[in-house]
Amino acid sequence: MAELRVDIALLSLFPATPAQLEESRLRTWPQWGGTLSLKEYLGRYTEMDLVESAKDGKLITWILAPREDPTTLDFMCACETYKRTGLVAYPSPSHSEPNSVHEVTCYAVASVFTPPSKRGRGYAGHMMRLLHWVTASRVNLPRFPEAWGAPPDEVADAGEGLFSVFYSDIGETFYRSTGPGGEGGGWEKRAAISTLWEVDPEERDDEGWIWLTEGKLNGLWGRDAERIRKELVNIPMRHTSYEVEHPMAFATYLPTDGVCSFHIRRSMYASNFSIAGGFWGVQSSSDRGTYASWSVDMRPPPPTLIVTRLCASEETFPGLLAKIKQAARRSGVGKVEVWNLGAGLRSISEKTGGRTFIRDEHLPQIVWYGPGATGNVEWVYNEKFGWC
């Protein structure tokens, strides 16, 4: 007998208890576990709970459950949020003055899952609408709809977010519709552009390049964050590459606090794959502003080396790309993928055998809680490092 739909006014959003956390992961294993056994799948979660991007309350699993029974294991659905540090730049009113850049709290949303027995009842959509009320500053939100009952309780390790992002695998429409006040006003899609290369057999020497282990990359991210901050100070107000015609703000994550290294950890735990030399990045020895990091995506097979962060000029990009392909080749990986190459680098990619296309999965979507509308905010540095 099919379950009856529970009135959404009787439901609210709660941080998962340890038992609910385990139950949420047990539910997702059949669909997301891939080749991992249940023990391996749960073990990977246990390991990932300890990485820098998750520890100290930065990762919270949320569950939609009855208000009268918030600790039940028969909850409706679940999702995760990662609390992160980002930067927002507001354009200067004068071309002679720098932009105003601010460090802000922001969130990445992941692992939205409703068990098959509870689908088709609007639970996931309601959960996502309530999620704004625990991640954003409530002074930036509309009036809470009376039909939803009372707002969720505020949680100590959450809130105060100026924006959040989500990577959708079910198209744009659903998450865009889940705003904090009802239909509309949710996460809006931004560039979902990938460039893909087949790895050729040509081998080159390593002169002029420094291979980077995970440890060396961890030392790079602080300098990379400062680079991003400096670039935002002078980022032009308009550019043909922008998704937004007249941005009133530019928003980005920072790669620090384990955000970039998350991908390395996940690659290592996802399978028995081993990257050649333990190298997850490369940097020019003559131009320290030219570098890249990567992870490996094992699904769907065959594996693909995914560049998580890339910094290069039009002059240095071909050499950097050659080293990235070399890392893939030495690891037995036949493809390289980069998200959202700059317009100048994209034209060069075509000359090096790259194929650029619009993805229909991992769609980057953003919602803005600051002044103005989400549609007026340009998401910059929209690269793979932000995904979770």
Side-chain angles (χ1 to χ4, degrees):
M1 181 177 178
E3 292 185 17
L4 296 177
R5 180 181 182 273
V6 178
D7 188 334
I8 61 171
L10 302 177
L11 303 173
S12 193
L13 198 62
F14 305 92
T17 66
Q20 288 172 327
L21 180 64
E22 182 177 15
E23 172 64 18
S24 72
R25 294 170 178 179
L26 288 170
R27 290 179 178 186
T28 60
W29 172 67
Q31 186 168 331
W32 296 347
T35 60
L36 299 179
S37 68
L38 178 58
K39 182 178 180 180
E40 290 170 333
Y41 184 70
L42 296 178
R44 185 182 72 179
Y45 263 115
T46 299
E47 295 284 354
M48 295 301 292
D49 286 344
L50 302 177
V51 301
E52 182 65 30
S53 62
K55 67 181 185 180
D56 300 327
K58 290 192 283 291
L59 169 62
I60 296 179
T61 296
W62 303 91
I63 56 100
L64 184 72
R67 298 177 187 273
E68 295 184 353
D69 192 9
T71 62
T72 179
L73 296 185
D74 189 30
F75 53 86
M76 281 57 191
C77 48
C79 67
E80 299 172 346
T81 58
Y82 288 85
K83 188 176 186 178
R84 293 179 170 177
T85 300
L87 293 177
V88 169
Y90 297 101
S92 169
S94 169
H95 292 294
S96 61
E97 297 292 329
N99 301 322
S100 177
V101 180
H102 304 267
E103 190 170 289
V104 302
T105 296
C106 51
Y107 290 85
V109 183
S111 301
V112 176
F113 189 84
T114 305
S117 63
K118 298 183 183 296
R119 293 176 185 171
R121 295 168 173 81
Y123 295 145
H126 190 55
M127 175 178 68
M128 300 305 287
R129 294 183 184 101
L130 294 181
L131 194 63
H132 303 287
W133 292 88
V134 294
T135 57
S137 176
R138 296 193 176 186
V139 298
N140 293 330
L141 298 179
R143 183 177 179 181
F144 192 82
E146 292 184 6
W148 298 356
D153 291 339
E154 296 184 79
V155 175
D157 288 325
E160 302 304 321
L162 195 60
F163 65 91
S164 75
V165 306
F166 183 80
Y167 295 83
S168 173
D169 288 329
I170 59 169
E172 173 191 9
T173 304
F174 175 76
Y175 293 103
R176 186 175 184 132
S177 72
T178 56
E183 290 298 319
W187 288 262
E188 297 183 12
K189 185 170 76 72
R190 292 296 186 265
I193 302 171
S194 282
T195 303
L196 191 69
W197 291 264
E198 301 289 336
V199 175
D200 54 60
E202 181 182 355
E203 185 70 18
R204 300 188 181 189
D205 61 44
D206 294 334
E207 185 177 354
W209 297 91
I210 304 169
W211 293 105
L212 302 175
T213 61
E214 181 183 4
K216 289 184 177 179
L217 279 169
N218 288 337
L220 175 67
W221 299 134
R223 298 190 296 276
D224 188 44
E226 282 306 306
R227 174 184 180 144
I228 291 172
R229 185 188 299 270
K230 290 177 181 177
E231 290 176 349
L232 285 176
V233 168
N234 297 304
I235 194 168
M237 294 180 63
R238 294 177 179 82
H239 195 275
T240 55
S241 65
Y242 293 168
E243 291 276 296
V244 176
E245 186 175 358
H246 300 291
M248 52 75 62
F250 299 87
T252 183
Y253 289 137
L254 288 176
T256 47
D257 298 326
V259 171
C260 255
S261 60
F262 165 87
H263 296 272
I264 298 173
R265 297 279 98 193
R266 195 173 188 277
S267 291
M268 293 170 66
Y269 292 128
S271 69
N272 294 322
F273 176 82
S274 178
I275 196 79
F279 299 131
W280 297 95
V282 70
Q283 183 177 34
S284 169
S285 58
S286 60
D287 178 3
R288 296 304 177 94
T290 296
Y291 48 85
S293 62
W294 51 76
S295 63
V296 176
D297 194 346
M298 305 299 293
R299 298 180 62 192
T304 301
L305 187 146
I306 304 280
V307 174
T308 51
R309 179 80 174 103
L310 186 146
C311 295
S313 66
E314 294 182 20
E315 291 72 28
T316 62
F317 177 62
L320 179 62
L321 176 62
K323 301 312 291 183
I324 296 169
K325 288 182 177 181
Q326 184 172 315
R329 184 187 312 109
R330 291 177 175 178
S331 302
V333 177
K335 295 181 180 180
V336 167
E337 183 176 352
V338 180
W339 286 11
N340 296 322
L341 273 175
L345 302 187
R346 201 176 302 162
S347 62
I348 296 173
S349 74
E350 296 174 1
K351 301 174 184 177
T352 58
R355 177 176 63 88
T356 298
F357 59 96
I358 305 297
R359 293 193 310 277
D360 58 6
E361 61 178 3
H362 309 323
L363 304 181
Q365 297 189 224
I366 184 171
V367 63
W368 170 255
Y369 302 121
T374 299
N376 295 325
V377 175
E378 181 72 15
W379 179 358
V380 286
Y381 305 97
N382 177 10
E383 302 176 42
K384 180 62 185 285
F385 77 86
W387 179 90
C388 62

